[in-house]
Amino acid sequence: MTALVLNHINVFRNKQHILKDIHLTFESGSLTVLLGPNGAGKSTLLNTICDDLPYQGSIACFDRPIEDWSRESLAKHLGILPQASSLSFNFTAEEVVNLGSIPLSASQQQCQTWVNDAMTLTDTLMLAKHPYPRLSGGEKQRVHLSRVLVQLSQSQQQEILLLDEPTSALDIQHQHNTLALARQKARQGACVIIVLHDLNLAAQYSDRIIIMKQGEIVADGDPWQALTQETIESIYQTQVEILPHPHHQHPMVISCAKF
């Protein structure tokens, strides 16, 4: 099933051309990673998909123009974990996760089941009664991922999960747990799109990699097609070697030296 179609997407901000004539199609059941240097337009692309930024062009979500979706209905099918989520209220972690149930039509008991399930998946259930402001950055990140998972509990196999640098504050264990969870969601039929900076994590978990630079798509394909030495050295201005992983055969990117 085609989950998203973007045609002729252009975004301008303060007279700067941020996204430049983007054409992309995303399928359900696939995990796509967006790579690129800072300022490439990756986060802007996710926010544009959410209809949070003014843009030129068209976006279709499950074969319907995105403007035809009500905000409440769209929230049941499309969820985004932003780079940072500011919340200063003295909620417990569980109460923050329960915010994801706001657009849902379900009993309090059912919503609590979804909250418990999501917090179990993100390894945050032990934090349920802890005050959210006292959590570490990584714990807050995982709590908000739980919230997004709850929000999509009624997606009915039409699910788009957008994650903007979900591993930035996580230790290595939770980096892999988070990306393995995202891959599991894709295998269950979700369309998953993730912004990352770690090329090796991208290679390990993605079905497809899109590399951006200055608002344009410069590479699009499976990890071996996208992560070529020529492309990476051109984009990041750093010498690299590409080797097959000794056990899993996905590409490994070894940084050598900056030009």
Side-chain angles (χ1 to χ4, degrees):
M1 180 187 298
T2 298
L4 279 170
V5 178
L6 284 63
N7 279 318
H8 295 292
I9 298 300
N10 289 274
V11 173
F12 295 87
R13 186 183 300 160
N14 298 325
K15 298 183 180 181
Q16 292 186 327
H17 201 173
I18 307 299
L19 294 182
K20 304 173 183 177
D21 201 32
I22 299 295
H23 296 260
L24 288 170
T25 298
F26 298 94
E27 302 293 332
S28 297
S30 181
L31 191 156
T32 301
V33 171
L34 303 181
L35 295 174
N38 295 331
K42 305 180 298 297
S43 297
T44 298
L45 181 60
L46 292 195
N47 290 325
T48 302
I49 291 171
C50 292
D51 202 21
D52 285 341
L53 293 175
Y55 64 90
Q56 298 173 359
S58 65
I59 300 175
C61 180
F62 297 110
D63 297 324
R64 289 173 55 191
I66 200 164
E67 61 267 20
D68 289 352
W69 291 79
S70 69
R71 301 299 290 184
E72 182 178 358
S73 180
L74 186 62
K76 295 179 181 180
H77 299 275
L78 191 156
I80 183 169
L81 177 69
Q83 286 185 25
S85 302
S86 59
L87 184 62
S88 56
F89 296 108
N90 198 32
F91 290 163
T92 65
E94 183 180 52
E95 288 172 331
V96 173
V97 176
N98 201 37
L99 293 174
S101 66
I102 290 175
L104 305 182
S105 304
S107 67
Q108 184 176 357
Q109 182 179 2
Q110 178 61 73
C111 288
Q112 186 61 52
T113 297
W114 286 331
V115 167
N116 291 343
D117 290 347
M119 297 188 79
T120 299
L121 288 172
T122 60
D123 193 28
T124 54
L125 192 58
M126 80 293 286
L127 303 172
K129 303 304 180 183
H130 290 212
Y132 172 82
R134 297 184 187 176
L135 300 181
S136 70
E139 289 170 339
K140 289 178 179 177
Q141 202 166 29
R142 286 153 46 212
V143 164
H144 280 290
L145 176 57
S146 303
R147 173 183 55 78
V148 176
L149 295 178
V150 170
Q151 178 187 326
L152 297 174
S153 295
Q154 292 183 325
S155 62
Q156 298 177 339
Q157 300 302 310
Q158 290 188 331
E159 181 175 342
I160 299 170
L161 178 61
L162 309 178
L163 306 177
D164 195 351
E165 298 189 36
T167 61
S168 60
L170 302 185
D171 58 57
I172 188 169
Q173 175 192 2
H174 287 106
Q175 287 179 8
H176 285 285
N177 287 351
T178 295
L179 294 176
L181 172 58
R183 185 168 60 185
Q184 178 185 351
K185 297 292 289 183
R187 297 296 176 264
Q188 293 170 345
C191 170
V192 182
I193 306 173
I194 307 178
V195 171
L196 290 177
H197 282 291
D198 190 312
L199 306 187
N200 288 305
L201 286 176
Q204 183 172 350
Y205 287 97
S206 67
D207 300 305
R208 175 189 183 189
I209 291 176
I210 295 171
I211 303 180
M212 301 181 66
K213 182 180 181 181
Q214 296 179 346
E216 298 181 298
I217 307 299
V218 296
D220 184 354
D222 67 37
W224 280 107
Q225 292 169 330
L227 295 176
T228 66
Q229 181 177 0
E230 180 181 6
T231 297
I232 295 171
E233 291 184 347
S234 172
I235 294 297
Y236 294 99
Q237 296 297 295
T238 300
Q239 291 180 332
V240 297
E241 290 186 25
I242 313 296
L243 301 174
H245 190 280
H247 301 297
H248 305 295
Q249 296 304 305
H250 59 73
M252 291 194 312
V253 181
I254 300 174
S255 175
C256 301
K258 191 169 179 62
F259 288 135

